[in-house]
Amino acid sequence: MTKKILVRNGYVLSMSGLEANDGFRDVLIAGGLIAAIAPSISSDDATVIDAEGCIVMPGLVDAHRHYWYTPIRAGGMDHTLKDIGKGIWSKVGRNLTPEDIYAATRAGIVEALNMGVTTVLDYCHALNSPAHADRAIDAHLELPARALYAYGPGMAQKVTEITGGTPVTDWSYAKVIQDRLKDSARISLALALQGPVTSGRKNFEYNLDTARKMGVPISAHIAVNAGGPKNQEIGLLHEWGLLGPDMSLVHCVGSSEEDFAKMYEAKVQVSVTPLCEWFIGMGMPPMTLMHRAGLKPAIGADSIIASSGDLFEEARAGLLAARCVAQLEVIASGPALSRPEELEMTTMEGVETITSRGAAAVLMPDTIGTLEIGKKADVIAVSNRGFTPESNIEAGALLMGSAAAVDVKTVIVDGLVVKDRGRLVGIDTESIQRDLVDARKRMKSYLNL
């Protein structure tokens, strides 16, 4: 690791709420941390990165993604969630080998880094054996990215649960993985739980109690479909007294205003995966209801079987979802929109969904998600395409209006430069790509078993 890095000549959008950290600033990195942010910093012993023409901002945080899907990109674009359960889960997921998950995780991490995503909640619900977990962790530890690794049960259990069974989860190897990660500065553990309806009260309470005794966060898919019978998951968790601030719940498309009020009261973290939710017919991403309840939803890409993985695109879609619902309400009442607040969410709030809010959703608000002295040095520089911002509002508008993953020129994780001048550095991308191609062939073949 270079001892010092100086990022110069960019427009800093720190997302910290501290005016002194924003504008045309230099950012000094030392020992893997943000050491200084100022209009001009002199440091002769630092490696200098020229960020001219770029917005310098926190590394993007994906609040919910499944790396194991990576080799079957676009495999669910015309499928409903029910179709995915019958095909990808029942066939691909159940036949996944440890080497498949290793290749998929490595490729997913590198793809995310290239897109400026420095932290991911990797919700891994395809751990069919201890060897699967070991190879997934091998991939995480080998590559310079940050993650909250959400350890889930094997796919056989998931399939059994969605068809009415409620097997008890064996978390013993999760404790082995927790011990393996105890000295990692970048990878921490969570438990990936099934919802309370599929698990049943006894099993869900056991799973939750296990996580809390281990001292790790909980992530769960909740109310994944709108329509159909009234969703009861949040109501049940509230009734059982189980909601808490160590939970990061995703989707919630079938949740109600009352549900979101209960989540807000319990300080639960929430995230939405707009493109996947739309593409596979789960329902309208519930950004508006979350926002009105006082929650601060984060954004994730979920799975590239039905999304691009580009978090700028996802944040834009989430912002559009919030505004779409709000606009339709106003229009249905008669008048045309006439006030900015009728748009529901601002563009800066859109940027927050993949930075500061993302950090909160992965339970790391004190270490990542903003550029502040003493925080982890996860920093990206994004081309402004020649439109130099003159204010934070303009910088946020440029990002939400037009930024894409291809605009990410520099990526720094934990004080290590992993992308410079538009190219990944220090990563064996050729071998990762070869393994990805081989894994894709194998995983597609499982569909015919």
Side-chain angles (χ1 to χ4, degrees):
M1 179 187 296
T2 302
K3 289 186 177 180
K4 290 185 180 180
I5 299 169
L6 185 59
V7 182
R8 277 186 166 160
N9 300 326
Y11 186 95
V12 174
L13 182 64
S14 71
M15 304 305 297
S16 68
L18 302 172
E19 188 174 330
N21 287 351
D22 297 313
F24 288 98
R25 303 283 191 273
D26 293 346
V27 178
L28 180 65
I29 296 166
L33 303 175
I34 305 293
I37 303 172
S40 180
I41 298 173
S42 177
S43 184
D44 295 335
D45 57 344
T47 297
V48 175
I49 291 179
D50 187 357
E52 184 175 4
C54 291
I55 297 169
V56 177
M57 62 184 295
L60 306 184
V61 182
D62 188 318
H64 187 82
R65 188 180 295 215
H66 304 275
Y67 275 145
W68 74 265
Y69 285 118
T70 302
I72 47 174
R73 174 179 280 280
M77 294 294 292
D78 294 312
H79 293 174
T80 66
L81 190 60
K82 187 175 182 180
D83 296 327
I84 290 168
K86 290 180 178 179
I88 291 175
W89 292 347
S90 296
K91 296 181 179 181
V92 179
R94 292 186 72 164
N95 288 289
L96 202 70
T97 69
E99 292 313 303
D100 292 332
I101 208 165
Y102 173 71
T105 304
R106 286 211 305 164
I109 292 169
V110 169
E111 179 177 62
L113 285 172
N114 196 40
M115 292 181 170
V117 182
T118 55
T119 301
V120 169
L121 189 156
D122 179 13
Y123 192 105
C124 195
H125 54 6
L127 296 180
N128 300 334
S129 74
H132 287 72
D134 281 330
R135 292 303 275 157
I137 295 301
D138 288 343
H140 275 287
L141 292 175
E142 288 173 15
L143 290 165
R146 196 177 305 282
L148 178 61
Y149 183 75
Y151 181 110
M155 190 54 65
Q157 177 172 332
K158 182 175 178 64
V159 171
T160 300
E161 286 181 332
I162 65 175
T163 55
T166 55
V168 176
T169 303
D170 178 4
W171 296 110
S172 58
Y173 209 73
K175 297 173 184 178
V176 175
I177 295 299
Q178 182 182 33
D179 186 65
R180 186 179 173 191
L181 294 175
K182 65 182 180 181
D183 295 324
S184 175
R186 294 180 292 99
I187 318 300
S188 54
L189 186 71
L191 294 192
L193 309 189
Q194 292 290 85
V197 173
T198 52
S199 296
R201 178 173 183 172
K202 181 179 178 180
N203 288 349
F204 191 88
E205 287 183 331
Y206 166 74
N207 295 338
L208 191 61
D209 184 60
T210 299
R212 287 176 172 165
K213 285 179 177 176
M214 291 173 65
V216 300
I218 298 100
S219 184
H221 299 119
I222 293 291
V224 297
N225 276 321
K230 181 180 178 181
N231 189 278
Q232 300 178 347
E233 291 187 300
I234 295 301
L236 289 174
L237 293 176
H238 175 75
E239 178 184 326
W240 301 340
L242 300 180
L243 291 172
D246 55 354
M247 288 180 164
S248 185
L249 305 182
V250 63
H251 300 312
C252 306
V253 293
S255 297
S256 66
E257 291 182 35
E258 293 79 12
D259 291 334
F260 291 122
K262 291 168 184 172
M263 285 187 258
Y264 175 77
E265 181 182 1
K267 300 181 180 179
V268 171
Q269 296 296 328
V270 294
S271 58
V272 176
T273 63
L275 292 179
C276 195
E277 287 159 7
W278 268 324
F279 271 123
I280 64 176
M282 294 164 68
M284 174 67 74
M287 299 290 289
T288 310
L289 290 179
M290 289 178 173
H291 185 250
R292 291 177 181 176
L295 293 163
K296 295 186 176 182
I299 292 289
D302 198 314
S303 165
I304 64 169
I305 62 170
S307 72
S308 70
D310 182 339
L311 281 196
F312 290 116
E313 186 178 75
E314 290 284 355
R316 194 172 297 127
L319 187 59
L320 286 171
R323 291 188 174 188
C324 177
V325 172
Q327 287 178 47
L328 289 176
E329 287 178 352
V330 174
I331 293 167
S333 69
L337 273 74
S338 59
R339 294 176 291 115
E341 52 266 34
E342 291 175 321
L343 296 174
E344 191 69 32
M345 285 179 64
T346 67
T347 53
M348 195 60 74
E349 287 178 303
V351 181
E352 289 175 2
T353 65
I354 53 175
T355 54
S356 56
R357 293 186 183 188
V362 299
L363 290 302
M364 302 180 195
D366 296 330
T367 55
I368 63 170
T370 63
L371 301 185
E372 297 180 66
I373 294 171
K375 280 198 168 185
K376 297 287 188 180
D378 293 359
V379 184
I380 64 173
V382 184
S383 171
N384 62 36
R385 301 189 183 190
F387 299 96
T388 303
E390 296 181 359
S391 67
N392 285 0
I393 296 297
E394 190 172 8
L398 287 167
L399 291 170
M400 284 296 94
S402 59
V406 70
D407 296 315
V408 176
K409 303 305 178 185
T410 300
V411 178
I412 301 169
V413 184
D414 214 28
L416 177 70
V417 178
V418 298
K419 187 174 185 180
D420 184 27
R421 288 170 285 187
R423 297 180 64 86
L424 291 171
V425 295
I427 297 173
D428 184 2
T429 55
E430 290 186 8
S431 72
I432 291 170
Q433 179 64 28
R434 285 196 301 269
D435 288 348
L436 174 64
V437 170
D438 290 342
R440 180 175 175 83
K441 290 177 182 177
R442 290 194 301 272
M443 290 170 68
K444 288 178 70 176
S445 74
Y446 301 154
L447 291 168
N448 298 319
L449 294 178

